Amino acid sequence: MGQGKKTILIVEDDSILSSLIKEYLEKQDYNISTEPRGDCAAYRILEESPDLVILDLMLPGKDGLSVCRDVRSSYKGPILILTAKEDDMDQVAALEMGADDYVKKPVKPRVLLARIRALFRRAQSSPIVNSSEKIKHFGILEIDSSSRVVRLEKEKISLTTLEFDVLWLLASEPGKILSRDHIFNSVKGFDWDGTDRSIDMAISRLRKKLKDSSENPLKIKTIWGSGYLFVEEAWN
Amino acid sequence: MGQGKKTILIVEDDSILSSLIKEYLEKQDYNISTEPRGDCAAYRILEESPDLVILDLMLPGKDGLSVCRDVRSSYKGPILILTAKEDDMDQVAALEMGADDYVKKPVKPRVLLARIRALFRRAQSSPIVNSSEKIKHFGILEIDSSSRVVRLEKEKISLTTLEFDVLWLLASEPGKILSRDHIFNSVKGFDWDGTDRSIDMAISRLRKKLKDSSENPLKIKTIWGSGYLFVEEAWN
DNA sequence: ACATATGTTCAACAGACAATCACAATAAAT
DNA sequence: ATTTATTGTGATTGTCTGTTGAACATATGT
């Protein structure tokens, strides 16, 4: 499930620190992007709408406080200020400006993580409504993503989680070639290592369960050197 | 609990500091009560349900961390830890235990106020989910959250607190995958340690009571590697 | 056409994760 | 303080998924 990971934008001009935090948080299973410039930060926050923003105060282009003020009215996620400035009045100003936390450098990664988690616990945000279609029909095949049930000629087929996810993805774009790379990424949420053949296996097991011949597959075709393709017309 | 003044409970054994903060915050138009003992704190938090709690860690009777853990599942307001302890691990532990902020003494009143305000801002805007809907119907299943009664084909099913909370949460978002992490967090109020299997057990017991087959669950499905999902269509 | 390199399938195995039992620890009730 | 109910834990079993290697298929170069 790709949607699972939370995204965090780190706005920080010290690239060493920035990538240090990035690495640490990536290990904790967050999706991290970084931005060194203050004047680009506001734009990117609104554009990417990350689940959380880590914001430095002293930045080239525009200071963090202004960024915070500028985005606060439209960006609803938590903003965590991370800065070396010692002044208490900055802290007060930032918090009043709409920041949710103010942490002084240097900070232990473990502490930063705990604070991030506390903010997420409170925010609990996920207003992204999945308005896309929940049920797909292709002749004798029916796929229901809210109950995760697949029927073939009205008969229920029991698929595993991975098999279902792959089928749903392919069926979402019938007639289009999807690379292993892309399938892997969409289904697992992280990148393909190039040697993994789990997708091959999932396809193989899917074909068997969907009664598609493997030597001459009509329903899920192999595009040699490119990937796989769901054939819409094959289910009648 | 009216719209008027917000109430804050200060749990702090140093009576000088305690009344200092009390005075300052009263000037800012908050309603303050104080409690010096740790072992009485949990009781008073649940009894008075203040809008926010300021909690010291080193307390007579019972330490603040335990207080935090004990009340977290039923007390939903912000908890701010205010302590002289310097140890980073205490900070991490407190935040993971469900605290919302961790401030080191000594702190300027102005800073404390700013942090309190930031917490209130979040608490207010955080979506209280079930203010409207108190009863859910899914075919033969009926869940009443005001009386905490569950009926299956009109027959009353007796669920434990945890089981009910988990069921209610899942049924609040049918067709959506909820991770153990998320379920644990919502139900207990603090973070999952990664080895705990209480949610698995709750699900297992729920399935049994709701007469869902365990080898091939139709009503509460397992999404391998991700979590669980409530199937709306399975109750007809 | 032939050999060679590269991409794909599949069976069998191994490791990771989940379900469940029986029991221990904890909390609640008496 | 004792009993009872609820929740968490260790061990076991089963299920899902990824890996390996051999066989097979498709493309490329000579």
Side-chain angles (χ1 to χ4, degrees):
Chain A
M1 245 266 298
Q3 212 71 349
K5 278 198 199 177
K6 297 211 194 274
T7 61
I8 297 177
L9 176 63
I10 302 174
V11 184
E12 166 67 64
D13 62 329
D14 174 353
S15 67
I16 297 171
L17 176 62
S18 172
S19 57
L20 219 74
I21 300 174
K22 178 168 147 69
E23 254 176 67
Y24 179 77
L25 291 177
E26 272 169 346
K27 275 192 218 124
Q28 307 299 326
D29 213 31
Y30 293 108
N31 259 324
I32 310 295
S33 48
T34 60
E35 170 58 54
R37 295 195 57 83
D39 43 7
C40 307
Y43 174 77
R44 289 196 54 191
I45 292 170
L46 298 176
E47 195 63 21
E48 303 173 15
S49 63
D51 295 306
L52 185 144
V53 176
I54 296 176
L55 188 58
D56 193 5
L57 283 190
M58 286 173 291
L59 291 166
K62 189 191 228 178
D63 77 294
L65 231 59
S66 315
V67 174
C68 186
R69 174 167 37 72
D70 290 351
V71 299
R72 188 71 288 182
S73 58
S74 28
Y75 175 69
K76 300 300 181 195
I79 297 177
L80 185 152
I81 305 283
L82 177 62
T83 183
K85 290 183 96 170
E86 278 291 346
D87 187 357
D88 276 335
M89 284 327 285
D90 275 319
Q91 179 170 174
V92 170
L95 291 169
E96 303 268 312
M97 209 70 99
D100 292 277
D101 202 350
Y102 187 100
V103 178
K104 290 199 186 101
K105 296 178 192 170
V107 63
K108 290 217 177 66
R110 194 64 193 76
V111 171
L112 184 62
L113 175 65
R115 292 207 163 257
I116 288 170
R117 290 226 271 237
L119 289 174
F120 275 137
R121 198 186 318 126
R122 272 289 158 205
Q124 212 167 55
S125 64
S126 171
I128 303 142
V129 184
N130 203 353
S131 58
S132 62
E133 227 182 322
K134 288 282 185 192
I135 301 179
K136 295 181 191 298
H137 278 272
F138 302 95
I140 58 171
L141 179 73
E142 184 189 315
I143 317 172
D144 182 338
S145 91
S146 65
S147 59
R148 301 180 69 94
V149 165
V150 173
R151 283 172 206 279
L152 194 62
E153 293 185 286
K154 292 169 193 161
E155 208 178 327
K156 197 150 76 183
I157 304 285
S158 107
L159 298 185
T160 68
T161 303
L162 178 63
E163 287 160 8
F164 183 91
D165 287 344
V166 170
L167 176 61
W168 181 259
L169 184 68
L170 287 168
S172 299
E173 309 200 62
K176 205 176 145 191
I177 301 168
L178 301 182
S179 66
R180 274 183 189 65
D181 201 326
H182 178 232
I183 296 172
F184 191 94
N185 212 320
S186 309
V187 165
K188 309 254 200 191
F190 53 92
D191 278 340
W192 191 43
D193 72 6
T195 69
D196 185 311
R197 263 167 302 170
S198 54
I199 299 303
D200 305 42
M201 286 308 306
I203 296 282
S204 163
R205 286 163 178 157
L206 254 178
R207 280 181 179 146
K208 202 175 283 177
K209 288 185 180 178
L210 298 176
K211 304 193 172 59
D212 197 8
S213 108
S214 58
E215 320 148 342
N216 185 26
L218 300 172
K219 298 161 177 173
I220 300 176
K221 288 198 176 171
T222 302
I223 310 303
W224 207 89
S226 303
Y228 299 97
L229 172 149
F230 181 90
V231 182
E232 185 166 8
E233 299 78 15
W235 304 94
N236 301 304
Chain B
M1 270 267 287
Q3 322 291 48
K5 285 194 195 177
K6 294 208 196 284
T7 62
I8 297 178
L9 176 63
I10 303 174
V11 184
E12 167 65 64
D13 60 330
D14 176 352
S15 66
I16 299 171
L17 177 60
S18 172
S19 57
L20 218 77
I21 301 173
K22 178 167 147 65
E23 255 176 67
Y24 179 79
L25 290 178
E26 272 169 347
K27 270 190 225 133
Q28 305 300 326
D29 213 29
Y30 292 108
N31 253 325
I32 311 294
S33 47
T34 61
E35 168 58 54
R37 295 194 56 82
D39 42 8
C40 307
Y43 175 76
R44 289 196 54 190
I45 292 170
L46 298 176
E47 197 60 22
E48 303 173 16
S49 64
D51 294 307
L52 184 145
V53 176
I54 297 177
L55 188 59
D56 192 5
L57 283 191
M58 286 172 293
L59 291 165
K62 191 187 221 178
D63 77 294
L65 231 61
S66 313
V67 174
C68 186
R69 176 168 39 73
D70 290 351
V71 299
R72 201 19 130 187
S73 57
S74 23
Y75 176 69
K76 299 300 182 195
I79 297 177
L80 184 152
I81 305 281
L82 176 63
T83 183
K85 289 184 95 172
E86 278 291 347
D87 187 356
D88 277 334
M89 284 327 285
D90 276 319
Q91 179 170 174
V92 171
L95 292 168
E96 305 258 304
M97 211 66 103
D100 292 278
D101 202 350
Y102 187 102
V103 179
K104 291 198 186 103
K105 296 178 190 170
V107 63
K108 289 214 179 66
R110 193 64 193 77
V111 171
L112 183 63
L113 176 64
R115 290 205 166 257
I116 289 170
R117 286 205 189 140
L119 288 174
F120 276 137
R121 182 165 6 98
R122 266 297 152 199
Q124 268 178 345
S125 67
S126 97
I128 306 300
V129 192
N130 51 359
S131 56
S132 54
E133 218 185 340
K134 288 281 184 194
I135 300 179
K136 295 181 192 298
H137 275 272
F138 302 95
I140 58 171
L141 179 73
E142 184 188 315
I143 317 172
D144 183 338
S145 89
S146 57
S147 60
R148 300 181 72 91
V149 165
V150 173
R151 282 171 205 279
L152 193 64
E153 293 184 289
K154 294 166 193 164
E155 209 178 326
K156 196 152 90 179
I157 304 284
S158 104
L159 298 185
T160 68
T161 313
L162 178 62
E163 286 160 7
F164 184 90
D165 288 345
V166 171
L167 176 62
W168 182 260
L169 184 68
L170 287 167
S172 300
E173 309 200 64
K176 208 176 143 191
I177 301 169
L178 302 182
S179 66
R180 275 185 190 67
D181 201 325
H182 179 231
I183 296 172
F184 191 95
N185 244 319
S186 308
V187 166
K188 307 257 198 191
F190 53 91
D191 280 338
W192 189 44
D193 72 6
T195 67
D196 186 309
R197 264 165 312 156
S198 53
I199 300 302
D200 304 44
M201 285 310 300
I203 295 282
S204 166
R205 284 161 180 155
L206 258 177
R207 280 182 179 146
K208 199 174 285 177
K209 288 183 181 179
L210 298 175
K211 305 198 170 57
D212 197 7
S213 115
S214 55
E215 39 181 52
N216 186 27
L218 301 173
K219 298 162 178 173
I220 300 176
K221 289 201 171 174
T222 302
I223 311 304
W224 213 89
S226 300
Y228 299 98
L229 170 150
F230 180 89
V231 181
E232 185 167 7
E233 297 81 6
W235 305 93
N236 300 304

